[in-house]
């Protein structure tokens, strides 16, 4: 997963455009431009991996929260069951959101 900043997107787009023009003119693109593109790509990939790892951590935390909420529901007194059931629903909803975010990030 690559996560580019707006400035990196602009710079990368400009460098690719200039390299394409040089290639169309029959010249070889400058090595400095290619290295700069590779540097931008590496930084974006590293940033993407950090964000993906953070999403994995959030998902695991949400899974644990669902397990805790279900255990509390099962052990709740009769008068506390409605509130415990709502906590389970809220925890499951948060888990679905985090799983969707992870799935979306993995596809990029």
């Amino acid at each position: 997963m690559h996560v580019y900043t707006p400035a990196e997107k602009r710079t990368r787009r400009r460098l690719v455009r200039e390299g394409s023009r040089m290639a169309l003119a029959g010249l070889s693109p400058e090595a400095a431009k290619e290295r700069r593109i590779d540097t931008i790509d590496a930084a974006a990939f590293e940033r993407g991996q950090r964000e993906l790892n953070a999403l994995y951590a959030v998902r695991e935390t949400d899974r644990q929260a669902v397990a805790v909420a279900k255990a509390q529901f099962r052990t709740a007194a009769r008068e506390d069951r409605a509130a415990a059931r709502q906590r389970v629903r809220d925890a499951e909803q948060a888990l679905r959101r985090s799983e969707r975010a992870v799935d979306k990030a993995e596809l990029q």
Side-chain angles (χ1 to χ4, degrees):
M1 180 172 127
H2 290 81
V3 178
Y4 295 97
T5 63
E8 287 175 339
K9 287 179 187 177
R10 285 189 305 270
T11 304
R12 189 176 190 287
R13 193 176 322 128
R14 181 180 51 82
L15 291 170
V16 168
R17 186 175 54 240
E18 290 173 4
S20 298
R21 286 180 183 164
M22 291 178 73
L24 287 173
L27 305 171
S28 64
E30 298 173 16
K33 288 181 184 180
E34 292 177 2
R35 279 195 311 272
R36 189 131 178 243
I37 290 172
D38 291 340
T39 302
I40 290 170
D41 288 344
F45 181 76
E46 181 183 336
R47 190 178 307 109
Q49 288 303 312
R50 281 195 309 263
E51 288 184 17
L52 192 57
N53 289 335
L55 286 172
Y56 288 147
V58 169
R59 183 179 62 182
E60 287 304 315
T61 302
D62 288 344
R63 285 180 178 168
Q64 185 64 29
V66 168
V68 169
K70 284 183 178 182
Q72 289 174 347
F73 172 71
R74 290 184 180 119
T75 60
R78 183 179 179 96
E79 57 274 358
D80 298 332
R81 277 196 174 270
R85 185 177 295 117
Q86 186 59 44
R87 283 193 298 271
V88 170
R89 287 184 191 133
D90 293 343
E92 288 174 340
Q93 191 175 38
L95 177 59
R96 282 192 296 275
R97 279 193 308 267
S98 64
E99 285 177 340
R100 276 194 302 267
V102 168
D103 292 343
K104 185 178 177 181
E106 286 177 339
L107 290 176
Q108 290 181 351

